[in-house]
Amino acid sequence: MQALAFISSTIPALHRLEAPAVWSRRRLGTSDVQPPRQAISSASTVSATYLSTGRSTFQRFCALGLGLLSAASFRAGSRGSGRIVVRGRNFEKNIKKKKGPREAAMAQTTRRHLRNIVLAMKSGTDPSTNKALSRAIKAAYKDGVNKAPIENKLKAVREGKEVTTELRFSGYAQGGAGVIVECLTDNVLRTRPEIKDIFKRAGGEVGAEGCVDHNFNKLGLIKFDEYDEEKILEASMEADVDVEDILTLEDGTVEVTTTPEDCDAIAAAFENGGLEVASSEVVMKPIIEAALSKEATYQLLTLKFWLSEHDDVGDVITNAVLHEGIELKYNAYDLPDSWKNAYGKDGA
């Protein structure tokens, strides 16, 4: 709009730049030259009505050129001033494509940690006396969860405003991959049919409880950030606790594997021995994997998207091996497109 305003302010000056033939006709007093129109308040109306009159081609090119120059200078000035110039819907969708998956992953991480915090509060609501709760809060902060949702969740549970039930769904995605969905809900009658509908929408189905457990191994994982394997092994011997494995990950974190029943007790024993535990939780690790086709991979990504959008879902676990090169594509409403529309014959 600033460019159009600039054009409207320069149009009166174009009367002095008319072609010689026009000036000669005016000097001779001929009436074939129409008088200039009156000033028009709207810049957009000026560009549409003024240039449509009987003016010369020379004038029209002058107005167009000045408009393009003013628009170019405006863009350059915006860039130099540090402002972000958004060039329409296509550019906006590119931003969403980069930020959308990251924000969705962060939302799911937040829900997973809040679920762990609520479950840990069953043994007490004070982090100073409930070590499991203290570890859950520290793990949430480490993964970038904001302070506000954690404090709000703690306050709601302490005041009795939130009474939740733990739910666990087992099912199959398209292609036969096992899927476990862990939820924490305040309304079982609402959550159960909604999760079943999400599975059905993505070409899968919810099975009987525990129907895919044979594909996974249930383990207790305790992680340390500040110690090496030798220090942790020595501490485990002093605390007289049995650990199944001690492994150093690529990022330097040391991971201790325990039985799921003894995870909290062993973590407390390490803390009593003077070590600071970064996190402790019970997880399901795949032991039998399922390789998926292109279409089955796309349907599983669709399933995980809809599950991640559900407020009651805390974690989604699967034993699927995804086909390389397949990613979720979105329609005009930023929702997952169908397999046929996304890849069509090229994906078959």
Side-chain angles (χ1 to χ4, degrees):
M1 291 303 295
Q2 292 190 22
L4 293 174
F6 180 80
I7 295 173
S8 64
S9 65
T10 57
I11 283 179
L14 292 176
H15 300 307
R16 299 190 295 273
L17 299 177
E18 290 178 313
V22 178
W23 277 105
S24 62
R25 287 196 297 272
R26 281 187 173 177
R27 292 192 186 97
L28 293 174
T30 56
S31 60
D32 58 337
V33 180
Q34 299 178 4
R37 291 176 178 267
Q38 294 181 347
I40 303 175
S41 58
S42 171
S44 59
T45 309
V46 169
S47 60
T49 59
Y50 181 81
L51 295 179
S52 64
T53 61
R55 298 301 173 187
S56 66
T57 304
F58 175 73
Q59 286 178 298
R60 296 177 184 179
F61 277 113
C62 283
L64 178 61
L66 289 172
L68 293 174
L69 286 174
S70 63
S73 64
F74 173 70
R75 282 189 175 182
S78 298
R79 294 192 193 99
S81 62
R83 294 175 57 190
I84 298 176
V85 181
V86 180
R87 299 172 182 82
R89 183 172 177 273
N90 197 26
F91 187 69
E92 184 181 357
K93 285 186 71 64
N94 288 335
I95 293 177
K96 287 183 179 179
K97 185 176 181 182
K98 294 177 182 178
K99 293 180 64 178
R102 183 168 63 250
E103 292 176 348
M106 189 65 235
Q108 187 170 358
T109 298
T110 299
R111 286 196 295 268
R112 178 171 60 86
H113 281 293
L114 292 179
R115 172 182 173 275
N116 292 338
I117 289 173
V118 172
L119 294 178
M121 292 181 75
K122 292 181 178 180
S123 301
T125 59
D126 186 359
S128 61
T129 56
N130 185 348
K131 298 297 183 182
L133 176 59
S134 177
R135 290 193 296 271
I137 295 174
K138 289 179 181 178
Y141 285 139
K142 181 184 175 183
D143 284 348
V145 179
N146 292 330
K147 186 176 181 179
I150 295 176
E151 292 185 342
N152 291 339
K153 183 65 69 173
L154 292 172
K155 182 179 179 181
V157 176
R158 286 168 181 163
E159 295 178 354
K161 296 180 179 179
E162 184 171 321
V163 179
T164 56
T165 303
E166 188 177 5
L167 285 180
R168 190 165 176 266
F169 297 90
S170 299
Y172 296 93
Q174 182 172 323
V179 180
I180 297 175
V181 182
E182 296 179 342
C183 302
L184 199 66
T185 179
D186 59 353
N187 190 336
V188 176
L189 297 179
R190 180 198 68 230
T191 302
R192 195 179 298 277
E194 288 177 350
I195 297 300
K196 289 183 178 181
D197 181 66
I198 290 175
F199 268 85
K200 184 178 180 181
R201 191 187 314 172
E205 62 177 347
V206 174
E209 184 177 354
C211 63
V212 297
D213 286 359
H214 61 279
N215 296 316
F216 301 89
N217 189 14
K218 194 173 184 180
L219 301 170
L221 290 183
I222 304 173
K223 293 184 179 181
F224 299 88
D225 291 334
E226 303 175 359
Y227 314 101
D228 55 17
E229 290 186 29
E230 185 177 350
K231 176 67 175 177
I232 294 173
L233 178 60
E234 180 181 347
S236 66
M237 296 176 65
E238 291 178 356
D240 192 23
V241 293
D242 293 329
V243 297
E244 296 185 356
D245 192 16
I246 301 176
L247 178 65
T248 301
L249 305 181
E250 293 182 358
D251 60 356
T253 301
V254 179
E255 185 179 84
V256 177
T257 304
T258 71
T259 60
E261 298 80 12
D262 297 333
C263 182
D264 286 339
I266 293 176
F270 279 123
E271 289 177 333
N272 293 333
L275 300 186
E276 183 176 351
V277 175
S279 66
S280 64
E281 59 180 337
V282 176
V283 300
M284 302 286 286
K285 283 197 170 184
I287 54 177
I288 301 176
E289 296 180 333
L292 299 184
S293 64
K294 293 181 179 180
E295 183 177 358
T297 295
Y298 191 84
Q299 294 293 356
L300 178 61
L301 294 176
T302 303
L303 173 62
K304 294 181 74 173
F305 171 87
W306 288 115
L307 288 173
S308 68
E309 291 290 303
H310 198 286
D311 292 337
D312 295 339
V313 174
D315 201 7
V316 180
I317 308 154
T318 178
N319 67 331
V321 179
L322 304 182
H323 196 287
E324 294 183 1
I326 300 297
E327 62 180 14
L328 202 58
K329 296 187 178 182
Y330 301 89
N331 58 22
Y333 302 98
D334 290 327
L335 299 175
D337 212 341
S338 66
W339 161 254
K340 184 177 180 180
N341 291 338
Y343 288 92
K345 295 181 180 179
D346 296 334

